[in-house]
Amino acid sequence: MRQRFFWLVLVLVLPWLVACGAGTPTGSEPTTDASGGEAAIPDDGVDRARLSRELYFYNWSDYINPEILTQFEEEYGVRVIVDIFDSNEDMIAKIRAGNSGYDVVAPSDYAVQIMALDDLVAPLDQALVPNMQYLDPGLLNKYFDPDNAISLPYLYGLTGIAYNRTFFPEGITSWSVLFDSAQLPAFRGRFSMLDDERETPGAVLKYLGASINATDPAILQQVEAILIAQKPFLASYNSSDVNRRLSSEEFILAHAWSGAAMQARTGLGDEFSGNANIEFVIPDEGGAIWMDNLVILRESPNAYTAHVFINFLLRPDVAAANADYVGYLTPNEAAIPLLSQEVRDLYAAGFAPDDAMLERLEWIERNEDTVVFTELWTRVKGQ
């Protein structure tokens, strides 16, 4: 009688146990690998039950390797949707308006400071970002976020001059090539300046021998006059696709970020092919150094997933794949040995700073005095 009862219970209960996943440890539900067998979820400390299905990343153009987004989705089941901005000012205006829909944003150094003052960003839980251990200590604790309480480095770069050596066989050593009105007629309509209220006046300030953060009214009058005199010869203010235009030789000269110049040189995946004649230089008068950072918006409903995404981007293999693709400088020390030889060779050829170059570079800072650049830029573009 007892045996018949045991078998009756087993027949009734076993299907229910199978349906409920009996025998599988909690939080370790098996997945299927490429061969159709069971593949264990990696023990990376991520609580997958807390992940959102989608994450919205507000980023600069041509500034992330699409393959690593696919990799993130494969590893975590989260689809990352990328939207593009062309300037920190445009980005901040959209975030300030509220209900942007974004989770993670990549503001530049001074823009982090502005967003913090406006209470637009959430504090980082550094315990959820263990891969920050791989970041160069020299790029942490910067003026805009001294304790990295709200931001972590994503990529950094330089601002100088990209040029086609076919048209400038002697090379370029000075900002005068862009600001001396006697030189400009030779390449009218074939060069561009960044569409940026701090970078472009800042380049003129360096040309004049001043600090990139100088706000003296007399010198800013000179800056404004030089930029207005330049406009008839300028193809455009361009921060979005100068890489493509240099590569195609529509532009032969450009005020450019180092990574955009490298993209023009090497190409960008399947997007466009490179041009081996493109060079990049920091003029003798100096240039800018800057860093774009990863922040989580205070309005984001997906803060946990955002932390997981940031930690993923800081993984050395992922950071190397990203830097190889976008051509900008990785702040990840452990990623540098993983870069392709081509990229490391271009770093050594001037697309990355050596000690001597670093002495000629300045960080752009933002304070109550620098609001004058917004006014200056409005007047210049209104001419």
Side-chain angles (χ1 to χ4, degrees):
M1 184 69 176
R2 288 179 180 176
Q3 288 180 336
R4 291 175 61 193
F5 180 74
F6 170 79
W7 288 110
L8 179 62
V9 170
L10 188 62
V11 168
L12 292 173
V13 173
L14 184 59
W16 179 82
L17 290 173
V18 171
C20 291
T24 302
T26 302
S28 301
E29 183 176 349
T31 59
T32 302
D33 64 17
S35 65
E38 288 187 355
I41 292 175
D43 183 15
D44 55 8
V46 173
D47 183 352
R48 282 162 170 74
R50 296 177 62 187
L51 295 174
S52 59
R53 292 186 177 182
E54 295 180 333
L55 192 76
Y56 287 81
F57 184 26
Y58 201 22
N59 193 20
W60 301 86
S61 62
D62 298 326
Y63 212 42
I64 193 164
N65 184 340
E67 291 184 1
I68 68 174
L69 299 179
T70 301
Q71 182 181 351
F72 183 73
E73 184 171 4
E74 290 172 351
E75 291 189 23
Y76 295 101
V78 178
R79 185 167 73 99
V80 179
I81 297 95
V82 180
D83 202 359
I84 301 302
F85 60 88
D86 290 331
S87 75
N88 284 296
E89 288 68 32
D90 288 348
M91 175 272 293
I92 291 170
K94 189 165 187 177
I95 302 303
R96 275 178 177 157
N99 300 312
S100 68
Y102 302 120
D103 300 296
V104 179
V105 183
S108 301
D109 31 58
Y110 73 88
V112 173
Q113 192 175 36
I114 296 170
M115 296 177 79
L117 291 172
D118 288 354
D119 199 28
L120 299 176
V121 292
L124 280 175
D125 183 347
Q126 294 185 359
L128 296 177
V129 195
N131 288 336
M132 67 179 289
Q133 67 181 298
Y134 301 115
L135 293 170
D136 180 349
L139 294 171
L140 297 174
N141 305 310
K142 290 298 184 184
Y143 76 92
F144 53 88
D145 187 11
D147 299 314
N148 289 104
I150 56 173
S151 69
L152 286 170
Y154 174 50
L155 292 160
Y156 74 107
L158 319 174
T159 309
I161 298 174
Y163 66 95
N164 189 312
R165 65 170 175 253
T166 301
F167 299 90
F168 299 91
E170 302 302 316
I172 290 173
T173 59
S174 172
W175 285 110
S176 63
V177 71
L178 290 172
F179 302 129
D180 178 0
S181 58
Q183 298 186 48
L184 298 181
F187 35 90
R188 180 195 295 265
R190 300 194 70 184
F191 74 100
S192 66
M193 297 292 296
L194 288 170
D195 190 1
D196 191 291
E197 69 176 45
R198 292 303 308 277
E199 290 274 23
T200 293
V204 184
L205 285 166
K206 299 306 289 184
Y207 167 60
L208 294 173
S211 166
I212 208 166
N213 297 301
T215 56
D216 178 76
I219 199 164
L220 291 186
Q221 283 184 352
Q222 295 181 59
V223 169
E224 184 174 341
I226 288 170
L227 289 174
I228 289 173
Q230 180 199 54
K231 287 188 73 174
F233 306 99
L234 188 68
S236 65
Y237 293 116
N238 188 320
S239 298
S240 58
D241 68 348
V242 64
N243 49 3
R244 291 164 171 79
R245 293 173 188 256
L246 283 165
S247 177
S248 68
E249 298 189 353
E250 178 181 348
F251 293 168
I252 60 173
L253 177 69
H255 175 220
W257 295 313
S258 56
M262 188 180 287
Q263 290 171 4
R265 170 75 171 257
T266 63
L268 188 69
D270 296 330
E271 296 287 326
F272 62 90
S273 57
N275 186 325
N277 293 315
I278 301 302
E279 303 285 356
F280 178 78
V281 64
I282 296 295
D284 291 344
E285 302 95 334
I289 183 171
W290 47 264
M291 184 162 64
D292 292 324
N293 308 272
L294 298 166
V295 303
I296 301 171
L297 293 184
R298 188 172 291 280
E299 66 181 10
S300 168
N302 304 311
Y304 181 77
T305 306
H307 279 88
V308 173
F309 180 58
I310 290 173
N311 193 55
F312 173 80
L313 292 177
L314 299 186
R315 207 169 78 190
D317 61 312
V318 174
N322 200 25
D324 261 345
Y325 180 84
V326 302
Y328 287 88
L329 305 173
T330 177
N332 193 311
E333 287 186 318
I336 292 173
L338 306 178
L339 294 171
S340 68
Q341 189 62 50
E342 179 185 22
V343 168
R344 282 183 283 168
D345 288 346
L346 287 172
Y347 278 7
F351 286 80
D354 57 19
D355 291 342
M357 187 189 295
L358 283 170
E359 294 181 2
R360 293 184 283 123
L361 299 173
E362 273 192 278
W363 294 86
I364 293 175
E365 297 182 10
R366 182 85 178 217
N367 54 51
E368 60 184 14
D369 294 329
T370 60
V371 295
V372 295
F373 287 104
T374 300
E375 300 162 2
L376 183 155
W377 191 236
T378 298
R379 290 193 298 271
V380 168
K381 293 194 75 175
Q383 287 288 323

